[in-house]
């Protein structure tokens, strides 16, 4: 049965997510499963415009309108804190179902648990005995090794390598090309800079950069709610 689908966001990552939807439908052949309706965005200047030939239907208030069938939504916003706020607003309204998306050319093992709203992009490799939380992004070419756990609202940028038995706390942002070695923990709402190599546990609410990764910034707990 077809699912009516919208994407929240109109930026580059949202357009990549739209491509995932098109590729899922192409792989399904004649049994198209995702009926894409258009985009939503909080920027009112975009309302009524088009992205990829599809309308920007409005903001979250569009979900409050009566619809003939349930609407499934993918929150395609790479910033972890912004994504969480948008998801919280959608959950408060209770008008949509979150869509889980896995690109047909991602490699995902049989023993991987994937939370609602999570997006796995083309070329990603997610091996075995792994838990991905809610609204996680595994971007193009990223790898996640055995027994890893990636908590809610984490963004794993392109070409990141997460080794086996790594724990990534909620809201973390792992920058492009970074690497986390076996068995390390990244504390909640921390940022790993692009190209960083994490060789020891990372505290919550910090930014680390370099090889080996070192702290360059510390934030107060709850900073992401501001």
């Amino acid at each position: 049965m077809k699912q009516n689908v919208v994407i929240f966001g109109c930026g580059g990552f949202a357009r990549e997510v739209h491509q995932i939807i098109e590729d899922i439908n192409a792989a399904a052949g004649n049994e198209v499963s995702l009926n894409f309706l258009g985009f939503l965005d909080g920027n009112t200047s975009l309302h009524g415009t088009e992205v990829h030939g599809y309308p920007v239907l409005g903001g979250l208030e569009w979900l409050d309108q009566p619809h003939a069938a349930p609407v499934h939504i993918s929150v395609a916003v790479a910033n972890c804190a912004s994504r969480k706020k948008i998801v919280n607003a959608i959950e408060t309204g209770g008008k949509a179902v979150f869509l889980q998306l896995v690109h047909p050319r991602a490699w995902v093992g049989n023993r991987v648990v994937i939370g609602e709203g999570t997006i796995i992009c083309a070329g990603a490799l997610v091996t075995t005995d792994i838990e991905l939380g809610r609204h996680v992004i595994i971007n193009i070419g990223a790898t996640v090794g055995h027994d890893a756990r990636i908590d809610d609202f984490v963004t794993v940028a392109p070409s990141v390598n997460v080794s086996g038995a790594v724990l990534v706390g909620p809201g973390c942002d792992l920058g492009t090309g970074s690497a986390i070695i076996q068995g390390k923990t990244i504390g909640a709402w921390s940022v790993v800079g692009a190209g960083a190599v994490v060789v020891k546990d990372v505290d919550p609410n910090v930014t680390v950069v370099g090889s080996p990764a070192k702290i360059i910034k510390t934030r107060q707990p709850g900073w992401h709610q501001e």
Side-chain angles (χ1 to χ4, degrees), residues 147-182:
D147 300 296
R149 193 174 91 217
I150 297 181
D151 218 326
D152 300 346
F153 299 105
V154 169
T155 293
V156 180
S159 301
V160 170
N161 297 131
V162 177
S163 298
V166 165
L167 170 61
V168 182
C172 290
D173 188 344
L174 308 185
T176 299
S178 60
I180 320 299
I181 72 165
Q182 178 107 356

Side-chain angles (χ1 to χ4, degrees), residues 12-21 23 78 101-108 118-126 132 136-144 154-162 173-178:
F13 184 65
R15 286 181 275 119
E16 290 181 334
V17 171
H18 180 231
Q19 183 66 53
I20 294 174
I21 291 171
D23 290 347
L101 291 172
V102 179
H103 195 282
R105 288 186 291 281
W107 192 95
V108 179
T118 286
I119 300 166
I120 302 179
C121 298
L125 301 176
V126 185
L132 304 179
V136 170
I137 294 171
I138 307 295
N139 218 312
I140 53 175
T143 66
V144 182
V154 169
T155 293
V156 180
S159 301
V160 170
N161 297 131
V162 177
D173 188 344
L174 308 185
T176 299
S178 60

Side-chain angles (χ1 to χ4, degrees), residues 160 173-179 190-198 207-210 213 216:
V160 170
D173 188 344
L174 308 185
T176 299
S178 60
S190 282
V191 176
V192 177
V197 179
V198 174
T207 296
V208 297
V209 300
I216 61 164

